[in-house]
Amino acid sequence: MTTADQGVRLQKVLAKAGIASRRAAEDLIVAGRVSVDGSVVRELGRRVDPDTAVIHVDGERIQVRDDLAYLAMNKPRGVHTTMSDEQGRPCVGDYVGDRGERLFHVGRLDADTEGLLLLTNDGDLAHKLMHPSFHVPKTYLAEVDGTVARGLGKRLRAGVRLEDGPVKVDEFRIKDTRPGRTLIEIVLHEGRKHIVRRLLAEVGHPVRKLVRTAVGEVYLGNTKPGRLRALTQAEIGSLYRAVGE
């Protein structure tokens, strides 16, 4: 059997991944909108190995392996970002222990921080998402003490020096103001421990409540605390794009 005869027909792989019906997938291939391992494929007889092929549709990578899982969790406050806890405290592992895959969390949220936490068994993607060299942005909503001065955003974008080095935000905006409190949104690609809390405390605005609302183009949305959902192909593709794949 030749290499061309091995594997699964490309249009079947695309249909199984939920990209389109098999007929619509054939149209995508004929139109030159699908590439495999960096080369555009136009022939309908092309077969691929779903476990090894790198497939892009309209320039966006799609995931076709059955054994890989990509989940978004709304981590509740008080839950520790570990898969098990020797002290018996609530942890992320409590929410995924009945799943068949061996999942791990992409980065961490401290126990007092709630919001979006990505879980996967795709170790290569997870490593890249966590590595600071890829500059994947994370978005947070922080309720802080006090009234925020007009120039704070400019100061945070310019950079603030902490005990373990400087940090600066990519974006800053005031979302709401209340007596003695302000709700702000911060986007940054830093991943150091307690970085948002330490940064805002340094500029005189201790955090009362902190929620991560996005990682790259994956958003928390209306996912309820303690609930998980599978990422869409578009969301998975956006994560690959964020790390240059």
Side-chain angles (χ1 to χ4, degrees):
M1 182 179 291
T2 65
T3 302
D5 295 326
Q6 298 173 353
V8 182
R9 287 185 181 273
L10 180 56
Q11 57 265 43
K12 184 176 181 180
V13 172
L14 294 175
K16 187 176 181 181
I19 301 304
S21 68
R22 193 175 303 189
R23 180 51 192 268
E26 291 176 352
D27 292 340
L28 291 174
I29 295 169
V30 171
R33 296 168 61 184
V34 181
S35 68
V36 178
D37 297 332
S39 298
V40 174
V41 175
R42 293 179 182 271
E43 66 272 17
L44 295 179
R46 175 66 179 272
R47 292 177 179 269
V48 299
D49 181 350
D51 291 337
T52 60
V54 176
I55 301 174
H56 288 76
V57 177
D58 292 334
E60 185 164 281
R61 183 170 173 177
I62 64 170
Q63 186 50 256
V64 297
R65 285 177 55 181
D66 292 334
D67 60 325
L68 293 181
Y70 304 84
L71 303 173
M73 176 184 183
N74 185 348
K75 187 192 82 66
R77 187 173 184 176
V79 173
H80 292 258
T81 309
T82 58
M83 288 305 178
S84 62
D85 188 83
E86 295 180 353
Q87 301 178 43
R89 298 172 299 183
C91 67
V92 170
D94 298 336
Y95 294 82
V96 296
D98 59 348
R99 294 186 61 93
E101 314 94 341
R102 185 176 181 273
L103 297 168
F104 47 91
H105 45 82
V106 181
R108 291 178 175 272
L109 291 175
D110 64 68
D112 289 332
T113 300
E114 55 193 281
L116 180 63
L117 183 68
L118 300 180
L119 299 158
T120 185
N121 55 355
D122 186 339
D124 182 59
L125 177 61
H127 171 74
K128 291 177 180 178
L129 288 171
M130 290 186 286
H131 201 283
S133 65
F134 287 98
H135 302 288
V136 179
K138 290 96 174 171
T139 305
Y140 296 85
L141 278 178
E143 185 181 87
V144 301
D145 284 336
T147 301
V148 172
R150 183 182 297 272
L152 181 62
K154 182 177 181 181
R155 180 182 176 187
L156 293 177
R157 283 189 288 267
V160 175
R161 179 165 292 279
L162 302 179
E163 68 275 9
D164 55 352
V167 58
K168 59 182 179 180
V169 306
D170 301 317
E171 298 179 35
F172 171 90
R173 60 181 61 89
I174 297 174
K175 303 289 288 185
D176 191 22
T177 57
R178 303 168 190 172
R181 300 184 185 185
T182 306
L183 184 66
I184 61 176
E185 182 179 77
I186 284 179
V187 181
L188 73 172
H189 56 266
E190 281 275 5
R192 281 178 278 171
K193 188 174 182 180
H194 304 310
I195 191 66
V196 176
R197 293 180 184 276
R198 292 193 290 127
L199 172 63
L200 293 174
E202 181 67 23
V203 296
H205 295 285
V207 172
R208 287 178 173 264
K209 182 179 181 181
L210 186 62
V211 181
R212 183 159 69 189
T213 59
V215 175
E217 295 179 22
V218 178
Y219 298 92
L220 182 63
N222 58 4
T223 305
K224 295 181 179 179
R227 300 295 295 273
L228 297 101
R229 65 174 180 84
L231 298 190
T232 66
Q233 280 286 358
E235 288 174 321
I236 296 170
S238 75
L239 294 176
Y240 277 118
R241 187 170 63 250
V243 298
E245 296 190 15

